[in-house]
Amino acid sequence: MKNDAIIRQANDDDRAFIFELSPSLAEVAKLDWHTDEAIQKMQDDYITQMLSKTSVPNITLVAEVNNTPQGFVHVRTHQDGITGETCGTVPLLAVSPNSQGLGLGKLLMASAEEWAKSQGCRLLHLEVFANNLKANQFYENLGFKPEMLHMIKSI
């Protein structure tokens, strides 16, 4: 399928598709200290913010097969917490459940990396829910390595 895929910049018509994937992004969090509703609201609010105009360089890319969107990635610039240099960050990547495992996520991440390089970035950053083991393995297979672990305790 990835040979049939095209990666293109998202447009206003992609908004509904992107929001359709929000529940699959939220459900992998599995955070005992937050309700499912709170996590879903956070995810929806984040997508709304992601799609809003901003002065921070960013792009949302869509993987399309046979004129049908199958996944998206959002990438923007970000200040590295250690050196302060501008790097790329991928706050969201999602592929439709029926298209996962077909290489679209890799194509989207390669496009995100290309965009970050075009912005002069040396590093590409991302965050993923700790309980999302499938995504953690996917990112590690792409060469990402953990840098910091954010921990939380319900008190």
Side-chain angles (χ1 to χ4, degrees):
M1 177 182 281
K2 73 179 185 180
N3 291 337
D4 299 333
I6 62 160
I7 306 297
R8 60 169 177 77
Q9 189 166 349
N11 59 51
D12 288 340
D13 293 338
D14 295 310
R15 193 174 185 85
F17 165 73
I18 291 169
F19 273 101
E20 282 175 23
L21 293 180
S22 181
S24 64
L25 288 165
E27 73 184 7
V28 297
K30 297 180 178 80
L31 304 175
D32 297 337
W33 51 94
H34 291 300
T35 65
D36 292 343
E37 293 79 17
I39 294 167
Q40 185 62 63
K41 181 181 180 331
M42 177 275 309
Q43 192 64 61
D44 288 342
D45 290 348
Y46 196 87
I47 290 172
T48 298
Q49 180 185 7
M50 173 192 90
L51 295 174
S52 298
K53 301 283 186 220
T54 177
S55 61
V56 175
N58 70 88
I59 192 168
T60 301
L61 302 168
V62 172
E64 191 175 84
V65 178
N66 298 326
N67 297 317
T68 304
Q70 297 297 322
F72 76 91
V73 65
H74 182 74
V75 60
R76 62 180 169 80
T77 59
H78 168 82
Q79 187 176 14
D80 183 67
I82 295 175
T83 64
E85 70 185 287
T86 299
C87 62
T89 187
V90 174
L92 285 179
L93 166 71
V95 175
S96 297
N98 61 343
S99 295
Q100 291 179 5
L102 302 175
L104 296 176
K106 288 180 184 178
L107 286 174
L108 286 163
M109 286 301 294
S111 296
E113 188 174 321
E114 287 175 29
W115 181 87
K117 284 180 185 178
S118 77
Q119 300 299 305
C121 300
R122 178 180 70 88
L123 302 171
L124 187 59
H125 165 273
L126 60 83
E127 293 179 358
V128 61
F129 285 117
N131 291 329
N132 192 347
L133 300 179
K134 186 176 177 182
N136 285 324
Q137 290 176 328
F138 171 77
Y139 291 125
E140 286 179 14
N141 286 338
L142 291 179
F144 286 86
K145 297 178 184 176
E147 181 175 69
M148 290 190 190
L149 179 61
H150 180 90
M151 300 181 81
I152 193 163
K153 177 182 178 182
S154 184
I155 54 172

